[in-house]
Amino acid sequence: MVQEMALPDTYVLKPASIPAYFDAILDAEAPERFSYKFLENLEFTSTNDRLLIGLLKELGFLNTDGAPQPRYYEFLDRSRSKQVLAEAVRESYSDLFAVNKKANELSKDDVKNKLRTLYAGKKSDELIDRIARTFTALVEYADFSSPLSPPEPSATKPSTSS
């Protein structure tokens, strides 16, 4: 049985745009489907910006069809958005956090070296560098300083487990 790695294969080509991407999501109404057209409506018209959609899927913000998931809506609560993103990063990069519990405090070069080890030759150095730069930009925007506070009781539905 092959163990599935908890490391995204996705990255953005413009990691410096991560704050702008997430700020634009906060300023917009959630779409029915997060598509290239929606991205263009947010004023991200470059084909390079389209990689954000794959990243949002890996972070659990969107399903495979691009429909917003509960995490997307949780992110829209500005009082919790950066903590929601931190939780998403911890989950999506859990193998990296398993190697170093404070992976969010590592330099880009340290992240790249850890990823190189975790990917064990399955990714090119160029791809690992892009993933490391994306990870670093995500952790700079996210808030890892406090654990995610639960949403207000009125905003949650009781879960039933069978």
Side-chain angles (χ1 to χ4, degrees):
M1 191 163 139
V2 176
Q3 178 74 26
E4 191 63 34
M5 279 210 325
L7 282 174
D9 288 338
T10 56
Y11 56 87
V12 291
L13 286 172
K14 300 188 308 188
S17 294
I18 293 257
Y21 291 146
F22 283 102
D23 288 347
I25 289 170
L26 284 171
D27 290 339
E29 199 171 302
E32 215 170 279
R33 194 171 156 271
F34 200 108
S35 61
Y36 297 150
K37 184 74 178 151
F38 180 72
L39 205 52
E40 288 173 8
N41 289 341
L42 295 179
E43 315 245 327
F44 297 107
T45 54
S46 165
T47 54
N48 291 342
D49 294 321
R50 293 178 177 184
L51 293 171
L52 174 65
I53 295 173
L55 182 63
L56 291 173
K57 289 176 182 178
E58 292 253 20
L59 291 171
F61 279 70
L62 307 173
N63 71 10
T64 54
D65 296 330
Q69 296 301 286
R71 177 170 281 155
Y72 187 103
Y73 296 107
E74 288 172 28
F75 178 79
L76 295 178
D77 176 351
R78 287 179 185 271
S79 69
R80 302 172 63 239
S81 58
K82 291 186 177 190
Q83 293 162 312
V84 169
L85 181 58
E87 177 186 53
V89 169
R90 274 193 189 99
E91 283 178 21
S92 298
Y93 295 85
S94 63
D95 283 1
L96 188 57
F97 281 91
V99 171
N100 186 324
K101 287 181 182 172
K102 294 185 177 188
N104 55 297
E105 296 175 11
L106 296 173
S107 70
K108 183 192 72 78
D109 287 339
D110 287 340
V111 170
K112 186 175 175 181
N113 287 326
K114 299 282 185 228
L115 289 174
R116 195 179 282 134
T117 301
L118 290 167
Y119 283 122
K122 295 185 179 108
K123 306 269 182 247
S124 70
D125 259 9
E126 182 182 343
L127 183 57
I128 290 170
D129 184 64
R130 288 178 179 170
I131 294 168
R133 288 173 356 117
T134 299
F135 173 81
T136 305
L138 285 168
V139 300
E140 283 175 13
Y141 184 82
D143 177 8
F144 286 86
S145 66
S146 57
L148 184 65
S149 56
E152 293 300 310
S154 61
T156 59
K157 296 179 186 136
S159 63
T160 55
S161 43
S162 30

